[in-house]
Amino acid sequence: MMKVAVYGGSFDPPHKGHKLLAQNLARQCGADKVVVIPTAMSPFKESSGATSADRYEMCRLAFSEPLFDVSDIEIIRGGKSYTVDTLREVKKLYPQSQLYLFMGDDMFLSLDRWYKYEEILELSTIVAACRTTDLEKLRDMKAFAKNTLNLTEDRFIICESIPIQISSTEIRNNLKNGIDDYLEKDVSSYIKNRGLYL
């Protein structure tokens, strides 16, 4: 059975940290394909200057390897996107697949407050990055999975991951000063050609 992972985010812009995390999690869960899904953002939140179309195109440039498939399903849907709806759509695209859902530690520890989280857990195996070498955080995540989410060991994967310590906000600020160290070359060229984040 094909293993398909779902990796969502605003990707504003997509940077090397996003890609490294996706590759690490894919390797640890044995994913055959990672579907990268930029979120639909309301006009009120798109103050960065990058449109949904820009973010989608930058993702296509950043995640260009065969492992990745960049999808605009949330952008087309528009409005507020719920993860459960996205998983349902991906399952239709890959009906014979086993789904995995990538996320960071903070998102994982709030999963019991997500819309229809029980269905999310039915549709996918959660793959959460513990973005630290803090063993206490790792224990907290495992306890949360078992005691709060009632998941058995085979229904979640927690991966120790050392991230690139930079946020999209910092990258946007760096771009104003001509610094693009954390971006793929094609993404950097796209940003310059479109005059984004200035």
Side-chain angles (χ1 to χ4, degrees):
M1 183 182 284
M2 188 176 182
K3 294 182 175 181
V4 175
V6 173
Y7 183 40
S10 56
F11 301 115
D12 193 21
H15 55 74
K16 290 179 181 177
H18 291 135
K19 188 172 181 177
L20 185 64
L21 181 67
Q23 288 169 327
N24 286 344
L25 297 186
R27 189 163 48 249
Q28 293 191 56
C29 74
D32 300 297
K33 182 69 67 179
V34 178
V35 183
V36 178
I37 305 175
T39 56
M41 292 168 71
S42 75
F44 306 106
K45 288 186 179 175
E46 294 215 25
S47 56
S48 70
T51 65
S52 295
D54 285 324
R55 291 183 297 106
Y56 171 72
E57 191 57 37
M58 286 189 286
C59 282
R60 284 185 63 246
L61 295 169
F63 298 95
S64 58
E65 292 82 358
L67 172 66
F68 300 110
D69 178 20
V70 179
S71 171
D72 59 359
I73 55 176
E74 289 196 1
I75 292 171
I76 289 170
R77 192 190 308 145
K80 191 167 188 176
S81 278
Y82 289 107
T83 299
V84 69
D85 295 328
T86 300
L87 287 172
R88 287 173 187 155
E89 286 193 50
V90 174
K91 189 65 178 174
K92 286 177 187 172
L93 295 171
Y94 298 93
Q96 302 303 316
S97 65
Q98 181 178 351
L99 293 188
Y100 292 79
L101 180 62
F102 288 177
M103 64 181 67
D105 45 19
D106 292 339
M107 290 168 70
F108 178 73
L109 289 169
S110 69
L111 192 54
D112 60 324
R113 300 192 294 276
W114 289 26
Y115 177 67
K116 294 196 173 179
Y117 82 92
E118 296 99 335
E119 189 177 346
I120 291 172
L121 299 176
E122 286 171 19
L123 286 167
S124 65
T125 299
I126 306 299
V127 183
C130 185
R131 303 175 195 228
T132 176
T133 51
D134 183 351
L135 292 176
E136 189 176 341
K137 184 71 168 270
L138 200 60
R139 281 195 296 269
D140 288 346
M141 290 174 74
K142 287 182 178 176
F144 177 80
K146 291 176 183 176
N147 302 330
T148 305
L149 301 179
N150 298 313
L151 293 174
T152 53
E153 290 274 359
D154 61 325
R155 296 300 298 155
F156 71 94
I157 301 169
I158 296 173
C159 308
E160 289 184 57
S161 178
I162 299 172
I164 292 177
Q165 297 290 347
I166 193 156
S167 68
S168 292
T169 302
E170 289 174 284
I171 287 174
R172 289 195 297 269
N173 289 334
N174 285 347
L175 284 166
K176 291 172 186 172
N177 299 314
I179 302 167
D180 63 358
D181 297 352
Y182 294 95
L183 300 176
E184 301 288 338
K185 285 183 181 178
D186 288 346
V187 174
S188 180
S189 297
Y190 182 90
I191 288 169
K192 285 171 185 169
N193 292 338
R194 296 276 295 165
L196 301 177
Y197 308 122
L198 302 176

